[in-house]
Amino acid sequence: MKLKSMKSIVTCMIFSIASLFNIANASVLTGNLNVDNTFSAYLSTDDNVQGALLVSGNDWTVTDTFSTNLTAGTDYYLHVKAQDWGYIAGFLGDFSIDTNDHVFNNGLAQLLTNNVDWNVSTTGWNNYTTASTSLLGTSYNGIGPWGLRSGVDANADWIWSSESYTDLNAYFSTTITAVTAVPAPSTMIILGLALIGLASRRFKKQA
């Protein structure tokens, strides 16, 4: 009877530890962005697949926001599909992760729009090139015709393709890399069986 009770206790402990481990290693990705003119943002595990919708908008004067969970041990791609209605196009944003379990392409937990860490395509989720900040010769947050977008970090740059006046569609991508290894479910099972085995031997000796 004591052995059966001990097995139940150990089993409960294993599942509790596993649950706490997963909670502790969950990251939250947040973003703030303005896009001239319309956009949809997605989270994907494949750079050539659009992914799950996070947020969309059609008014560049409004700073749109989103928040989503990242699974520990999983790499992601943040995708932003943008469309311009004519003349000047631009994408401005800042993004952050609340733990050290994931990092952006720059190796940090915060990423701004820039011409180093973002890729862009004009044909879809493929054929990427580095995003451009050559817009109007400079692209800082505050430049006309948009002015300062207070909902986005002041150090962010407006980015687009190299032809921001003529390319009406742009597909932006940046990587989010998992930096914390997660034990496989089999590892937790083996640990649990080992604990139960030790408990069984102890109670047999006491019997």
Side-chain angles (χ1 to χ4, degrees):
M1 188 67 182
K2 288 183 178 180
L3 180 59
K4 186 176 181 180
S5 298
M6 179 56 68
K7 287 183 178 179
S8 298
I9 292 172
V10 172
T11 302
C12 290
M13 288 176 62
I14 292 167
F15 282 107
S16 296
I17 291 170
S19 297
L20 289 172
F21 186 89
N22 289 332
I23 292 171
N25 284 277
S27 300
V28 177
L29 167 68
T30 59
N32 308 288
L33 63 166
N34 299 82
V35 181
D36 186 357
N37 291 99
T38 67
F39 79 95
S40 295
Y42 306 89
L43 188 65
S44 180
T45 56
D46 185 332
D47 206 13
N48 299 123
V49 176
Q50 185 164 270
L53 180 66
L54 296 172
V55 65
S56 60
N58 59 10
D59 184 350
W60 67 262
T61 66
V62 175
T63 300
D64 292 285
T65 63
F66 69 82
S67 178
T68 189
N69 292 325
L70 303 177
T71 301
T74 301
D75 295 333
Y76 294 95
Y77 297 89
L78 178 58
H79 286 163
V80 178
K81 180 181 179 181
Q83 182 179 45
D84 184 43
W85 294 342
Y87 190 48
I88 304 175
F91 162 37
L92 180 78
D94 72 64
F95 308 87
S96 62
I97 301 171
D98 70 341
T99 72
N100 294 322
D101 295 328
H102 288 84
V103 294
F104 290 107
N105 196 41
N106 58 3
L108 303 174
Q110 182 183 24
L111 179 68
L112 308 179
T113 42
N114 59 56
N115 64 347
V116 176
D117 300 305
W118 289 85
N119 292 325
V120 64
S121 171
T122 58
T123 59
W125 307 114
N126 50 45
N127 301 319
Y128 295 108
T129 59
T130 303
S132 174
T133 57
S134 61
L135 187 68
L136 302 176
T138 184
S139 298
Y140 64 90
N141 182 8
I143 192 174
W146 305 286
L148 181 67
R149 299 293 97 198
S150 60
V152 174
D153 191 294
N155 294 309
D157 291 313
W158 286 95
I159 60 174
W160 201 262
S161 68
S162 59
E163 300 295 334
S164 55
Y165 284 92
T166 57
D167 290 334
L168 300 184
N169 295 284
Y171 301 79
F172 296 95
S173 175
T174 192
T175 60
I176 300 173
T177 304
V179 295
T180 302
V182 179
S186 58
T187 303
M188 298 300 296
I189 293 172
I190 292 171
L191 174 61
L193 292 174
L195 290 173
I196 292 173
L198 289 173
S200 299
R201 290 181 62 185
R202 182 177 178 182
F203 273 89
K204 283 179 180 179
K205 287 181 179 180
Q206 292 178 348

